[in-house]
Amino acid sequence: MNRPAWLKDAVFYEIYPSSFYDSNGDGIGDINGIRQKLPYVKDLGCNALWLNPCFDSPFKDGGYDVRDYKLVAPRYGTNEDLFALFREAHELGIRVLLDLVPGHTSEEHPWFRMSGQAERNEYSDRYVWTDFWIKGTPGHPYIGGETPRNGTYMLNFFKCQPALNYGWAKVTESWQTPLDAPAAKATRDAMADVMRFWLGHGCDGFRVDMANSLVKGDDENKSYTCALWKKLLNELRAEFPQAAWVAEWGWPKQALCLADFDMDFYLDHPGNGYNRLVRSADAYLKGNDPLAFATDYLDQYGASHADGYISFITGNHDTPRISWYLTGDQLKVGYALLFTLPGVPFLYYGDEIGMRYLETLPTKEGGYTRTGSRTPMQWAKGPNLGFSQAAADALYLPVDPAPDAPTAAEQAKDPGSLLHTVKAVLALRHRFPDLQADGSFEVLHAQQGDPLFVYRRGKLTLAVNPSQKAVETGLAGTPLFQIGAFEAGRLGPCSFVMLAE
Ligand code: GLC
Ligand code: CA
């Protein structure tokens, strides 16, 4: 497989910049805060970062409404700060991916302002417009009445996010432009230019937002969007062979095999393998059998592992935190499984200490139910749990008010903590190439009504029992690592074991 070699042993840490560490006391996390915490990331065992969008934005959708793709949002610092973050991260052996939002801009982006003018100009066709003020875009949300232009424009997500035009798979209306229209090409070139800019300054690649929806009217297999990505990525790879791309796609058969991304997230979609592993009412890690997870995963893995990597996530900025679904030892066992599967795993900041999902927080910057997963990182006991020197009411979001809110400093001192488990499992992953992205994978035991899951990675055998009862594994040997009890082949309640040969 022709993917950047560093991905083999990569473990990503996702950072929501507003909430990680505030270096200047204004209550909002920033780039220099991330720089200060790089040793923490390294110590944890993560060697790559994904930063959610850190670009100039009105922040109506947490920065996914970009106003200037080449400018760091002033509240996070300067471009120089970000360049320095790239350099310092590299010195520690940490790669940095930025978040690319190619499908839409903010309604305040100068391209969109120009596009909405009545007179035709260079940007007129750079977004998806109809040709009459009350004619909508069938099957897609649209907005009228906002601009001098006689037409309505298509939305990708919120009202503030007009869809950029990459052309239509099949042109059926006079206002649609074909894939080879000059404006569609200009949009694509503009995104390539954005990527070149950051890659040229030391960034290591991109997480790509809503990567599967660029071409409108695409077929079921997303053939046209896939073809677009394949061409674009391969152009950039010729210039930046070590750069990596992870898709927000959730369908590896398309994202890896056809669109040619290096990685694709196993997203939480109702009933899919990840959902049935971690988050559904009957999830495997809650103590049920692993069949639904294993079936879906093996199907995607089997079809795509020669082409790229599936990325398991502990969670992300769009999902409730994993601690909402799993608790205590279940989390430890869950992480042991997630971090010893093939592909490239992603850990969402704070999940390493089991930060809580703060369900009742009012929405912030378009977060709605996602807001409760975006609260400040909990560094240590004391004011603002060590996140910021600002007054508590000046924080971007409140810190977890619970008296027992977990913190990194306390867990660092406690050998029985979740943080210690995460570090131990990630250290094993770095030590044994068999456990890494490319290591072979085979399911040895997954049966209906049975919580035991046994799998082989190269020469290592791993067994999981997330249930409350002990199970017979039939396995023998001295554990290289274990959570819970493993004695005479019997795996105790909520336990995990890794054996050699
Ligand atoms: C993606 C992002 C999400 C954002 C949306 C629109 O799903 O992860 O946070 O709101 O795209 O850009
Ligand atoms: Ca700050």
Side-chain angles (χ1 to χ4, degrees):
M1 184 188 343
N2 192 19
R3 299 293 173 202
W6 62 270
L7 288 178
K8 286 181 199 295
D9 187 28
V11 178
F12 275 85
Y13 191 73
E14 178 191 348
I15 290 180
Y16 197 72
S18 296
S19 304
F20 198 54
Y21 185 61
D22 172 21
S23 71
N24 62 354
D26 66 357
I28 304 188
D30 43 58
I31 303 289
N32 287 338
I34 299 171
R35 286 167 67 189
Q36 289 180 32
K37 296 296 185 182
L38 287 172
Y40 171 84
V41 173
K42 167 133 185 135
D43 184 53
L44 190 57
C46 291
N47 52 17
L49 295 177
W50 154 31
L51 308 186
N52 290 111
C54 55
F55 314 108
D56 178 53
S57 166
F59 287 100
K60 287 186 169 177
D61 183 20
Y64 283 93
D65 46 334
V66 180
R67 187 164 50 197
D68 184 341
Y69 287 93
K70 294 186 184 173
L71 182 68
V72 166
R75 76 190 208 185
Y76 295 144
T78 64
N79 283 16
E80 298 307 320
D81 296 337
L82 186 53
F83 302 156
L85 169 63
F86 297 150
R87 284 195 301 274
E88 290 165 11
H90 294 163
E91 279 161 23
L92 293 173
I94 297 173
R95 304 295 213 292
V96 184
L97 299 202
L98 298 178
D99 209 319
L100 183 77
V101 189
H104 46 268
T105 66
S106 159
E107 62 196 347
E108 293 184 20
H109 197 294
W111 300 341
F112 184 68
R113 289 272 162 81
M114 288 297 292
S115 198
Q117 298 300 313
E119 301 74 34
R120 281 202 57 86
N121 60 64
E122 192 191 335
Y123 296 92
S124 297
D125 292 338
R126 295 280 288 274
Y127 293 80
V128 182
W129 291 87
T130 69
D131 57 3
F132 194 60
W133 61 281
I134 43 170
K135 190 197 283 179
T137 48
H140 299 270
Y142 62 91
I143 291 284
E146 291 279 317
T147 66
R149 180 170 175 163
N150 177 19
T152 68
Y153 54 93
M154 187 190 285
L155 300 177
N156 260 0
F157 199 65
F158 287 156
K159 179 257 170 193
C160 62
Q161 291 159 319
L164 282 160
N165 183 21
Y166 288 86
W168 289 75
K170 277 198 192 73
V171 173
T172 56
E173 304 274 349
S174 58
W175 48 266
Q176 297 173 344
T177 61
L179 294 166
D180 59 0
K185 183 165 184 316
T187 306
R188 185 186 162 282
D189 289 349
M191 262 335 127
D193 175 57
V194 167
M195 288 194 267
R196 276 192 189 97
F197 174 79
W198 292 112
L199 291 168
H201 280 102
C203 147
D204 297 289
F206 297 88
R207 175 268 187 185
V208 180
D209 189 66
M210 292 178 64
N212 64 354
S213 59
L214 296 193
V215 174
K216 303 305 178 194
D218 209 342
D219 60 25
E220 216 186 317
N221 298 322
K222 305 267 176 185
S223 312
Y224 296 90
T225 301
C226 287
L228 186 156
W229 277 116
K230 189 172 178 129
K231 188 159 180 286
L232 183 54
L233 293 178
N234 285 307
E235 269 172 40
L236 290 161
R237 282 182 181 125
E239 296 161 53
F240 302 97
Q242 288 304 309
W245 282 267
V246 55
E248 187 200 26
W249 198 300
W251 197 244
K253 287 180 190 177
Q254 288 171 3
L256 304 178
C257 310
L258 303 175
D260 213 12
F261 277 88
D262 301 293
M263 301 166 269
D264 184 24
F265 289 119
Y266 211 173
L267 296 168
D268 181 26
H269 290 158
N272 79 351
Y274 174 76
N275 177 261
R276 300 289 296 271
L277 173 64
V278 181
R279 290 165 185 260
S280 65
D282 57 357
Y284 171 56
L285 289 171
K286 293 178 178 171
N288 299 290
D289 77 52
L291 266 193
F293 150 65
T295 307
D296 185 65
Y297 175 57
L298 282 174
D299 177 41
Q300 291 290 333
Y301 171 79
S304 68
H305 74 93
D307 289 300
Y309 302 120
I310 292 177
S311 285
F312 280 89
I313 58 173
T314 61
N316 65 31
H317 62 290
D318 291 330
T319 62
R321 284 202 180 261
I322 190 168
S323 63
W324 184 247
Y325 304 94
L326 308 177
T327 51
D329 288 347
Q330 277 176 346
L331 272 177
K332 291 182 181 170
V333 168
Y335 290 165
L337 174 57
L338 287 172
F339 297 147
T340 56
L341 287 167
V344 180
F346 280 67
L347 171 64
Y348 185 52
Y349 83 95
D351 282 348
E352 70 275 26
I353 54 171
M355 271 174 63
R356 292 193 306 147
Y357 171 56
L358 300 188
E359 194 197 357
T360 58
L361 278 185
T363 182
K364 176 86 176 184
E365 297 185 341
Y368 298 94
T369 59
R370 306 175 295 183
T371 306
S373 298
R374 299 176 176 182
T375 58
M377 175 65 185
Q378 296 159 199
W379 294 105
K381 286 275 181 237
N384 303 325
L385 299 179
F387 162 67
S388 166
Q389 311 274 324
D393 61 2
L395 297 187
Y396 174 72
L397 281 171
V399 297
D400 185 346
D404 62 348
T407 67
E410 283 171 301
Q411 291 203 7
K413 285 185 239 145
D414 172 8
S417 66
L418 185 60
L419 181 67
H420 269 261
T421 301
V422 170
K423 283 192 193 181
V425 174
L426 293 182
L428 283 169
R429 189 178 171 104
H430 297 308
R431 186 172 137 208
F432 293 104
D434 278 347
L435 294 178
Q436 296 167 10
D438 279 333
S440 66
F441 173 73
E442 192 191 345
V443 172
L444 301 181
H445 182 98
Q447 276 171 18
Q448 202 168 13
D450 181 353
L452 176 66
F453 182 56
V454 186
Y455 54 107
R456 185 184 283 278
R457 303 287 325 272
K459 289 183 172 154
L460 304 170
T461 301
L462 302 94
V464 193
N465 172 25
S467 80
Q468 291 311 313
K469 57 174 206 242
V471 295
E472 294 298 338
T473 67
L475 298 170
T478 312
L480 286 166
F481 174 76
Q482 74 189 80
I483 297 167
F486 178 71
E487 261 183 68
R490 215 174 143 76
L491 202 47
C494 221
S495 54
F496 174 94
V497 69
M498 181 170 125
L499 304 160
E501 297 277 1

